[in-house]
Amino acid sequence: MTGERNDLESPEPRGHDAAHSLFRPPGEPVREIPPHLYGRWKHDPLLRVANVFFSTVIPTFSHLMRPRQLAEPDRSRELRVIKREIVAHDKDVVALTLAPADDQPLLRWTPGAHLDLLLPSGRMREYSLCGDPADQETYRIAVRRIPTGGGGSVEVHETLHVGSTVSIKGPRNGMPLAVPGYGSPAKRIRFVAGGIGITPILPMMIAAERLGLDWSMVYSGRSLDAIPFIPEVERFGDKVEVRTDDVHGIPSGADLIGATPEPTALYTCGPIPMLETLRKGLIGRTDVELHYERFSAPPVTDGRPFTVTLDKSGETVSVAADRTMLAAILKVKPDAPYSCKQGFCGTCRVHVAEGAVDHRDNTLTPFERQHGQMLTCVSRAAGDHLTIDL
Ligand code: FES
């Protein structure tokens, strides 16, 4: 009955309550229902039924009917670290389990998805979700500490502890798993992970196993000490081969691709040399479809050297033919924003004040390009020089 009382005791009666208030002393709350919907004095039985319904059923279920704000991948939200585990023997990989810091549910995700972490320093970094996609209560990411990197991984290791909160965007999926027979002509799946590249692959293995798919996996790395999640990978038994460079040598394309008795979808994530070995091994192979995610910038091809001037500081840097413009900028401005280094997140976007651009991304719209936007991680100068607003 709480809902009814609150409504009728409102100091600003409306509609029929307002009319009824003419027959009661000012300030006295309305405690009776109006007798008839159309203002007659005779009691309307339908109105009585409606009043009983609205005063009992709706308050009883109102907590279920309250609209909940839906989370959106493009909106940032706060998550709390509820678990922190070291998941590699060398102690350089930490897995963080994140739960909502508010009462909003987490967005569902599919294997291959990642989160954007908005770190306290202002850096944004992308990390693949590496937990169980069926878990609707938490997300899990894993981060390898790279002391010589851009500072994001070190910041995660040093500042995110159990109880810390962190802003995220996403999840988003840039490498979705297509189930053989449903959107993929393949009959089986081969997973190839290198080092921390295991993170997007782990949920795929869980999903493949759960769906009863025909799959196998090779997991490579420098040494057993350096590769994370060994116990989680080994529980899949002989479907998984763990091979390390110090024991087995650098794997060949054939080692990575494995036996392919039937059309195969190959999903991989790892360092560039491993991806390059795979790419070469798959030349001419029409029976294997390749899905990959790299965790570092793609090599620059067909680059020409040029110079770029940072408008705000007036500094001019040289960009070598085989280096990215972002790498050159970071040398003089280490806090320049970036995340994916692959031309799809848009974090490194700058405005070009002068010079023509050789756009090499698939992210910016023609409108954005016409208005002087460019992505420094992949795009370059079309001529000898650019001036950018940075
Ligand atoms: S860093 Fe992501 S688009 Fe450049």
Side-chain angles (χ1 to χ4, degrees):
M1 299 295 283
T2 312
E4 180 193 27
R5 277 177 53 83
N6 285 345
D7 194 30
L8 292 177
E9 287 179 2
S10 163
E12 301 291 341
R14 297 181 301 274
H16 283 283
D17 286 349
H20 204 56
S21 70
L22 295 174
F23 299 95
R24 69 172 193 272
E28 184 181 294
V30 178
R31 296 200 183 278
E32 292 176 12
I33 58 168
H36 198 286
L37 193 58
Y38 298 105
R40 295 178 199 135
W41 288 108
K42 191 180 158 201
H43 281 276
D44 183 339
L46 256 181
L47 197 56
R48 277 192 180 281
V49 171
N51 182 61
V52 169
F53 177 81
F54 285 114
S55 63
T56 54
V57 175
I58 287 185
T60 303
F61 293 101
S62 58
H63 66 292
L64 297 177
M65 298 163 72
R66 202 180 305 135
R68 289 205 296 190
Q69 271 213 314
L70 291 176
E72 295 169 19
D74 283 334
R75 184 179 293 172
S76 68
R77 63 175 301 187
E78 293 263 299
L79 300 184
R80 191 176 303 283
V81 179
I82 61 164
K83 190 173 176 189
R84 183 183 156 104
E85 294 168 276
I86 299 298
V87 288
H89 292 154
D90 66 6
K91 301 196 179 0
D92 276 347
V93 182
V94 66
L96 302 177
T97 304
L98 308 167
D102 52 26
D103 61 356
Q104 302 300 312
L106 293 180
L107 278 180
R108 302 294 300 273
W109 59 283
T110 51
H114 68 267
L115 292 182
D116 296 336
L117 242 62
L118 312 174
L119 296 169
S121 63
R123 296 180 178 101
M124 184 176 103
R125 294 292 183 270
E126 297 176 354
Y127 295 106
S128 295
L129 287 168
C130 61
D132 184 339
D135 178 356
Q136 298 181 36
E137 309 295 323
T138 63
Y139 294 146
R140 184 175 71 161
I141 58 170
V143 181
R144 171 169 287 284
R145 177 200 287 268
I146 305 173
T148 55
S153 67
V154 173
E155 186 175 350
V156 169
H157 274 253
E158 293 185 353
T159 65
L160 296 186
H161 303 285
V162 172
S164 306
T165 56
V166 63
S167 295
I168 62 114
K169 284 186 180 180
R172 288 194 194 79
N173 200 331
M175 187 174 64
L177 178 70
V179 175
Y182 298 86
S184 166
K187 295 265 191 287
R188 56 189 300 281
I189 296 179
R190 173 74 164 173
F191 298 117
V192 180
I196 192 66
I198 186 66
T199 49
I201 301 295
L202 204 44
M204 292 187 177
M205 296 161 67
I206 294 170
E209 188 68 5
R210 200 168 275 150
L211 292 169
L213 305 179
D214 179 6
W215 67 276
S216 66
M217 189 257 197
V218 61
Y219 187 13
S220 76
R222 278 178 286 120
S223 67
L224 269 187
D225 268 356
I227 55 179
F229 296 119
I230 291 285
E232 290 194 32
V233 168
E234 285 184 338
R235 75 193 155 99
F236 292 104
D238 59 9
K239 287 185 175 167
V240 170
E241 178 195 1
V242 177
R243 52 171 302 144
T244 56
D245 300 350
D246 58 347
V247 175
H248 306 89
I250 307 282
S252 66
D255 294 330
L256 297 174
I257 297 164
T260 52
E262 294 181 291
T264 298
L266 191 153
Y267 289 82
T268 183
C269 181
I272 286 172
M274 188 193 84
L275 297 183
E276 192 56 14
T277 302
L278 266 175
R279 188 188 65 77
K280 287 183 182 149
L282 289 173
I283 290 173
R285 296 283 302 268
T286 55
D287 58 330
V288 180
E289 59 180 48
L290 176 64
H291 306 261
Y292 67 92
E293 188 168 77
R294 54 173 111 236
F295 48 70
S296 53
V300 177
T301 53
D302 302 328
R304 286 187 336 114
F306 61 98
T307 54
V308 55
T309 299
L310 312 189
D311 216 6
K312 292 202 172 79
S313 65
E315 285 180 281
T316 296
V317 292
S318 299
V319 182
D322 62 347
R323 300 297 306 277
T324 65
M325 183 168 147
L326 174 65
I329 292 170
L330 285 172
K331 279 191 182 162
V332 295
K333 187 171 171 42
D335 61 345
Y338 72 89
S339 180
C340 71
K341 290 186 174 175
Q342 296 171 47
F344 58 78
C345 74
T347 310
C348 66
R349 174 193 307 242
V350 294
H351 181 262
V352 179
E354 188 181 46
V357 179
D358 171 12
H359 289 285
R360 298 187 172 198
D361 64 281
N362 295 314
T363 301
L364 295 181
T365 63
F367 180 85
E368 290 169 320
R369 291 179 178 190
Q370 275 164 18
H371 286 77
Q373 308 268 303
M374 78 173 288
L375 300 181
T376 61
C377 67
V378 288
S379 296
R380 310 178 65 80
D384 295 331
H385 184 73
L386 288 175
T387 301
I388 58 172
D389 292 343
L390 192 68

